[in-house]
């Protein structure tokens, strides 16, 4: 009787607008994977109307050549086609720049770009974040920030993300001083998400791209959606996908 009365009061209060049943929260999507010595992860999260993307080169192996440098992340959205606007690109916690510097606040946005409506990207993805041009990205696509190295356009491997295990003293000239490289994480903020956007169900076709050409190495991740339940239980769903 008491439990029925409690249920009746809760429903009555919710109907009257005096008490609200919590709505579903957006669930971060954490995608990670590897291909040989290459390994990377990307976390897509929501903060208000912002999409927060954390891109990390997780490989413990020393980067030796440009094709070991993580330079782009491609993805799609489903169920909504928001016009996202690049807000910021900053070093992740503990990340450093080899052979170069940053703007104040560890900002590296002048070396990274975001574009939507892509044609010819891996997996047919329509959106991408990149430090290289790939004949897809140009100066109008850059995040806010100054040009820290190279041409005033996404180009080459400069400010690409090198591996967690990189030794900047070893490898060919391109990865030992000719180009500034970030070890090993960048956090991107894009604004313009609609209400209720859920990365765990609405981000698809994730693809990690390395080097300076789409024919260089790249792979799809093994996605993992992380949900924090009401009692604090953390569950993860993993689905294997690999592409060589």
């Amino acid at each position: 009787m008491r439990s029925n009365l409690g249920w009746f009061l809760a429903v009555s209060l919710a109907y009257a607008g005096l008490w609200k049943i919590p709505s579903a929260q957006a669930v971060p999507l954490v995608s990670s994977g590897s291909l040989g010595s290459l390994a990377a992860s990307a976390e897509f999260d929501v903060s208000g109307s912002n999409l927060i993307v954390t891109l990390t080169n997780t490989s413990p192996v020393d980067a030796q050549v440009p094709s070991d440098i993580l330079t782009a992340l491609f993805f799609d959205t489903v169920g909504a086609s928001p016009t996202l606007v690049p807000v910021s690109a900053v070093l992740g916690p503990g990340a450093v720049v080899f052979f170069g510097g940053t703007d104040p606040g560890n900002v590296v946005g002048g070396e990274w770009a975001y574009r939507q409506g892509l044609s010819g990207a891996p997996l047919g993805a329509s959106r991408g974040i990149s430090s290289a041009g790939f004949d897809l990205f140009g100066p109008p696509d850059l995040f806010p920030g100054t040009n820290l190295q190279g041409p005033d356009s996404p180009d080459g491997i400069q400010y690409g993300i090198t591996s967690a295990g990189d030794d900047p003293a070893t490898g060919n000239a391109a990865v030992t001083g000719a180009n500034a490289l970030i070890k090993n994480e960048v956090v991107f903020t894009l604004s313009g998400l609609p209400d209720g956007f859920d990365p765990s169900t609405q981000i698809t076709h994730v693809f990690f791209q390395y080097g300076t050409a789409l024919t260089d190495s790249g792979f799809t991740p093994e996605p993992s959606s992380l949900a924090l339940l009401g009692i604090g239980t953390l569950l993860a769903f993993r689905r294997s996908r690999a592409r060589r």
Side-chain angles (χ1 to χ4, degrees):
M1 179 69 176
R2 183 173 299 174
S3 60
N4 289 339
L5 178 60
W7 177 86
F8 175 78
L9 288 173
V11 172
S12 298
L13 289 170
Y15 182 79
L18 300 176
W19 183 78
K20 294 183 179 180
I21 298 173
S23 59
Q25 297 292 312
V27 178
L29 174 69
V30 179
S31 297
S32 62
S34 62
L35 176 67
S37 63
L38 307 178
S41 72
E43 178 177 345
F44 298 85
D45 204 354
V46 172
S47 177
S49 62
N50 293 333
L51 178 65
I52 313 297
V53 182
T54 302
L55 180 60
T56 310
N57 187 331
T58 59
S59 174
V61 180
D62 183 24
Q64 295 286 306
V65 293
S67 58
D68 292 334
I69 306 302
L70 179 60
T71 50
L73 175 71
F74 295 98
F75 64 98
D76 265 328
T77 60
V78 298
S81 297
T83 299
L84 299 177
V85 177
V87 174
S88 67
V90 300
L91 300 185
V96 297
V97 176
F98 294 148
F99 318 118
T102 71
D103 284 337
N106 287 330
V107 171
V108 291
E111 296 294 331
W112 283 83
Y114 166 78
R115 187 179 174 189
Q116 55 200 38
L118 295 175
S119 177
L123 303 183
S126 63
R127 302 172 187 266
I129 297 171
S130 180
S131 64
F134 297 112
D135 292 324
L136 296 173
F137 302 89
D141 308 315
L142 290 168
F143 283 81
T146 59
N147 179 26
L148 299 170
Q149 187 180 59
D152 188 20
S153 178
D155 179 78
I157 63 165
Q158 60 263 23
Y159 284 85
I161 306 175
T162 192
S163 64
D166 186 33
D167 179 350
T170 61
N172 71 14
V175 299
T176 55
N179 298 282
L181 300 172
I182 297 169
K183 180 183 179 179
N184 65 315
E185 182 176 273
V186 183
V187 181
F188 304 94
T189 300
L190 301 138
S191 67
L193 285 182
D195 291 342
F197 187 87
D198 188 345
S200 68
T201 59
Q202 293 183 257
I203 297 289
T204 64
H205 296 155
V206 176
F207 190 89
F208 298 106
Q209 179 67 55
Y210 290 72
T212 58
L214 296 179
T215 52
D216 287 338
S217 298
F219 56 88
T220 57
E222 303 167 351
S224 174
S225 297
L226 302 183
L228 184 63
L229 303 182
I231 58 172
T233 302
L234 189 64
L235 299 178
F237 170 75
R238 300 184 64 85
R239 179 164 55 97
S240 295
R241 295 176 63 190
R243 179 180 183 275
R244 183 173 290 272

